[in-house]
Amino acid sequence: MEPLLNFLSSLGRMTLNFLRATGDGAEFTAKVVVACIRRPFYHKEFVRQMIEIGFYSLPVVALTTFFSGMVIALQTYTGFSQLSAEGAVALVVLVAVTRELAPVMAALMVAGRIGAAMAAEIGTMRVTEQIDALSTLNTNPYQYLIAPRVLAGIVMMPVLVLIGDILGVCGGYLVGVYKLDFNATTYLINTWNYLKPMDIISGLTKAAVFGFIIALLGCYNGFHSKGGAQGVGQATTNAVVSASILVLIFNYLLTEAFFNV
Amino acid sequence: MTDIQIEMKKVSKAFGKKVVLKDLDLTINRGESVVIIGGSGTGKSVTLKCILGLLHPDKGEIKFNGKNIGMLFQGAALFDSLTVWENVSFAVLQQKGMTRERAKKIAIEKLAEVGLKPEVADVYPADLSGGMKKRVGLARAIAIQPDTLFFDEPTTGLDPIMSDVINDLIVRCVKKLGATALTITHDMTSARKIADKIAMLYEGKIIWMGTVKELDKTDNPYVRQFVAGSSQGPIRMSVKADEA
Ligand SMILES: Nc1ncnc2c1ncn2[C@@H]1O[C@H](COP(=O)(O)OP(=O)(O)O)[C@@H](O)[C@H]1O
Ligand SMILES: [Mg+2]
């Protein structure tokens, strides 16, 4: 009983904190959106963040999507009747990777890498008064610090996911052909025939939304961190946890919206 | 045009239940150098941040009649990802039609004004000592020729000699720009050197204000205790961590 109560009370506390954060977050989000539209646009910062997100996250995203594609092929084979497996594996890998696995895996990886880095960097700037210094130097911190990160997140996540799509499908193909002994040509033809633009587009749209969520929460937590190094550490953890949860919630909502279920 | 540069009227600010400023009044005339003294945690930085618009007071009115400002932060607050010259010329670089070459030349001039050689221009802040960071912070504060300068504990954390160097630089920079200056500190040596007028902050109010000469003659027991640096007197130091 005791552990259950503890669990419930911590769940309740989490929910309350979450709701409070939602209120503050809405105001913050509005300010960020305005900052993204307004000039000046700091393109140097934008490019730096695009490289940070796109280039340096590529290895982890590539690895996770590749192995996800492989494991899906294996699971589908063991799950389906092995007679009809040849067609099913190609289809399931394609659909699972493009609609779900690539966007969600990439988002969770990027949340852990980039969301944390953004929170730590901006949090350090907050506690060392660098953000105050920006304001005294006629620079809006929302425009200089946050807008480039959020825009880079929106732009680069779909790029990462598109690469993840390709690698995930490759992973499925390798397992299908080299482990399950499918015919290579048939597998490729099946994959090509099952390919629907909507699957890719929905996955990339999700990616853009996730990129926005991750960058926004990284910046939000960093921006509001207080109390020295410990506060920055806390902000970093919060950024990763909250972004991961929101990504999964929005993944569900977007899936519902896209496929009208 | 008025001769008043900064005017605070009945400014109050609390964080949650903790009242920091309570009906604070402060007037600073144009061209004057005012130093606010007070124990740590009495709200000196909060006062400054209210004037700068970085914090919004709960009550009261703040009038600022200056055009542009420069501020030296307690820890210098240099941008880690930028070189020294990019830091100094940060605001300069935002001006229309400014080239990086010209901005760098301006930065090197400003560095010279605070006694730093051109070689440090391309160094990153992480590689500077505390005293050098403060100098770069000062160079950044004066880069766009502000008419109002703010200094938050300019000598805290520096050795006495470096403190004296920074004090001299502050006095020189303020004179050269003809600027109005507001400094906050708990270092009395620094206060005497920089100030035309000294104001003492205690329990959310300015409880005394006068010239350095008047400071030595005042019979205000709070001011006398603070100036003497004595633990005996009406000022009670809180030992609770959350009020430090
Ligand atoms: N952003 C803030 N949130 C909550 N409390 C704050 C904040 N800024 C300052 N305080 C509190 O206000 C009091 C005065 O702080 P400060 O002005 O920094 O003191 P000092 O006179 O040493 O500069 C301190 O108790 C501090 O904890
Ligand atoms: Mg302070």
Side-chain angles (χ1 to χ4, degrees), chain A residues 83-106:
Chain A
L83 291 173
S84 64
E86 195 135 346
V89 169
L91 172 65
V92 174
V93 165
L94 187 69
V95 169
V97 166
T98 55
R99 286 189 187 181
E100 294 296 329
L101 287 173
V104 172
M105 283 295 180

Side-chain angles (χ1 to χ4, degrees), chain B residues 121-177:
Chain B
D122 293 304
V123 170
Y124 282 90
D127 298 325
L128 300 177
S129 69
M132 280 168 97
K133 278 186 190 158
K134 286 267 163 107
R135 292 195 202 204
V136 175
L138 181 58
R140 182 174 74 179
I142 61 173
I144 52 163
Q145 317 264 350
D147 62 3
T148 314
L149 282 164
F150 297 93
F151 304 100
D152 189 349
E153 311 246 356
T155 58
T156 300
L158 300 180
D159 64 71
I161 295 171
M162 185 52 82
S163 295
D164 202 47
V165 170
I166 296 287
N167 287 336
D168 284 339
L169 283 172
I170 286 175
V171 171
R172 185 137 44 92
C173 290
V174 171
K175 276 234 177 71
K176 188 163 178 235
L177 290 168

Side-chain angles (χ1 to χ4, degrees), chain A residues 116-131:
Chain A
M118 285 179 181
E121 195 181 353
I122 294 181
T124 305
M125 292 187 75
R126 164 61 74 201
V127 300
T128 56
E129 297 187 303
Q130 290 179 51
I131 294 181

Side-chain angles (χ1 to χ4, degrees), chain B residues 174-190:
Chain B
V174 171
K175 276 234 177 71
K176 188 163 178 235
L177 290 168
T180 308
L182 177 60
T183 308
I184 60 183
T185 189
H186 54 234
D187 172 357
M188 282 313 298
T189 321
S190 178

